[in-house]
Structure formats: structure tokens, C-alpha cells
Amino acid sequence: MVQRGTDPDPTRLLEIQREAFEILAEVGAILREGHFVGTSGRHMEIYINKDVLLRNPKSTERITKLMAERCSGIDIDVVVAPSVGAIILGNRTAGNLSTDEEVVPSLYTEKDPDGLQIFKREGSVEIVKGQRVLIVEDTAATGLSLRRTIEAVQAAGGIVVGACLMVNRDTKRINSTTMGVPVYWLVEMDVPTYDRNECPLCAAGRPIAVGVGHGKTETTTE
Ligand SMILES: [Zn+2]
């Protein structure tokens, strides 16, 4: 187990948030005043386009250094991330948590046909069993895939010691109390999301973005 120090102090926590926000803004990952459809199918005006972050390895590395620092108070054996987008963040965070003496393994879960997150790769369950696991997630809007990943780790006999999100889109719904494990995040961005039938952006006739998010699926089925 990689023994760590203490949590970042409150001043540093604010700096971590600010730095993470700046990195996302710098790479153009924060899209405003649009009309987007998230993974959950809900509509929103602001969207985090993590793809532009992940195609920039230097910025991705900076973000995952901050994620590792944010979790510096936890003793962690293994990092687990849900497919697909969070795999890169999970891997680099695990790298940043590793020391000269000890490597923190990086694993990922995948969706099964029922929408659950499961370990499909050989050996993953054995690595997780009985270990202290940090879950890394990119952006969480409903917390569903985070919840499913927690369940997968627990089903494999792992102990979830924390979950670190790059962006928390709904801090009321996604937090340590609701998830039952300590939840940390770099950036919080509580942006309202709407059911398509109650979306004010739809009502205003604003076109749905098809280039990012799940807008393409939505507009082609209409
Ligand atoms: Zn809409």
C-alpha cells in the first residue's frame, strides 16, 4: 500500500480547483451558451468536452497530478476507472500516485449489456480483492456510472476508500453522503440539466449541438 500524507490544506484545495478549471478552460473543454445532450440524455447549456482535454497529453497529465494531489490523504492500493473516458485519467492518476518503491495498478470496468459496470479483463478481480481502491471518474452528472463502479469494486471484494471526479456536475446528488464513500472532485460545476420535454433551450428553439456529447443520436432519432 502506498502510504500517503495528509489532505491538501484549505488554501491549496482552492488552488487545486482554480488550476483544474484553468486547464480545462485553456484547452477549450468548457463549452458555454450552447445546447447539449449529455450521456444521461438530459439537455444542458454548459458542457464539458473532455475529449479535447484527453487529446492533449500534457494538460491531461497536469489534471491527473492534481487528482493525485487531491487524494494525497488516502492510502491507496489500486485505481479503478469506468470505461471509456475515465480510463486515461485513471491510468495517469495511478502513475502519479505511484512511488519509486511501489506501483499503483490501474484497472478499469466496462459496461455489460444490463448497463452495469463489471471487470472483464483477466486478473482484475484478483487484483482488487481485499485492496483499498480509489475510483477515478471524468465528469459526473447523475453519478450513475460512479455508483455502478463502486458496486463493481465492492462485488470484487475491494474496499472503496475514495472516488475522485475531475468535474462534479451536481454536488447535491453526487457527494460522500449519497454515494456512501468519500467523494472528492477538482471542479464543481452545478449546471441545471433538463428532460428533453421540459427543456427551456428546446422551447427557445436553440439548435442542439451535434459535434459534442450525445446530440447527434438525439437529433437523428427525431
Ligand atoms: Zn433541449
Side-chain angles (χ1 to χ4, degrees):
M1 182 196 303
V2 177
Q3 300 270 352
R4 317 225 144 255
T6 50
D7 285 329
D9 65 44
T11 314
R12 182 59 195 146
L13 277 181
L14 286 174
E15 282 171 9
I16 289 174
Q17 282 193 22
R18 203 198 58 235
E19 282 173 31
F21 189 90
E22 278 168 7
I23 295 166
L24 292 174
E26 234 171 69
V27 296
I30 302 172
L31 306 177
R32 295 168 185 282
E33 293 173 16
H35 184 185
F36 306 99
V37 181
T39 318
S40 56
R42 291 178 69 79
H43 291 200
M44 56 198 82
E45 190 173 22
I46 297 178
Y47 188 80
I48 307 296
N49 186 8
K50 59 178 184 266
D51 295 342
V52 298
L53 173 77
L54 296 177
R55 70 173 76 122
N56 183 326
K58 285 192 172 181
S59 302
T60 304
E61 179 63 9
R62 286 168 66 203
I63 284 284
T64 56
K65 268 202 173 121
L66 293 175
M67 292 180 98
E69 187 185 351
R70 180 67 189 83
C71 299
S72 55
I74 324 170
D75 295 334
I76 296 158
D77 295 311
V78 182
V79 170
V80 171
S83 300
V84 175
I87 296 176
I88 296 169
L89 294 178
N91 188 281
R92 296 189 93 121
T93 301
N96 283 309
L97 287 166
S98 297
T99 63
D100 288 344
E101 293 74 36
E102 195 174 346
V103 169
V104 175
S106 161
L107 304 172
Y108 56 91
T109 56
E110 296 165 78
K111 246 188 198 171
D112 79 352
D114 296 327
L116 299 175
Q117 290 285 339
I118 56 166
F119 288 104
K120 283 190 187 168
R121 306 290 147 175
E122 198 184 340
S124 294
V125 170
E126 289 75 11
I127 294 172
V128 163
K129 194 175 179 192
Q131 299 296 292
R132 296 169 61 86
V133 176
L134 175 74
I135 294 173
V136 165
E137 170 68 300
D138 43 36
T139 67
T142 63
L144 183 63
S145 88
L146 174 59
R147 195 177 292 281
R148 294 270 157 88
T149 310
I150 294 170
E151 288 163 2
V153 170
Q154 291 170 342
I159 305 141
V160 180
V161 290
C164 190
L165 318 173
M166 180 175 76
V167 180
N168 190 339
R169 302 286 310 263
D170 189 343
T171 55
K172 282 193 198 74
R173 202 197 297 216
I174 307 163
N175 55 57
S176 304
T177 310
T178 58
M179 291 292 155
V181 301
V183 180
Y184 311 90
W185 52 85
L186 297 184
V187 174
E188 58 182 78
M189 210 174 275
D190 285 300
V191 177
T193 64
Y194 311 100
D195 186 88
R196 60 192 297 190
N197 301 315
E198 293 166 2
C199 174
L201 307 166
C202 282
R206 195 186 286 185
I208 292 175
V210 291
V212 294
H214 291 249
K216 200 167 185 180
T217 343
E218 175 121 347
T219 46
T220 47
T221 54
E222 276 175 339

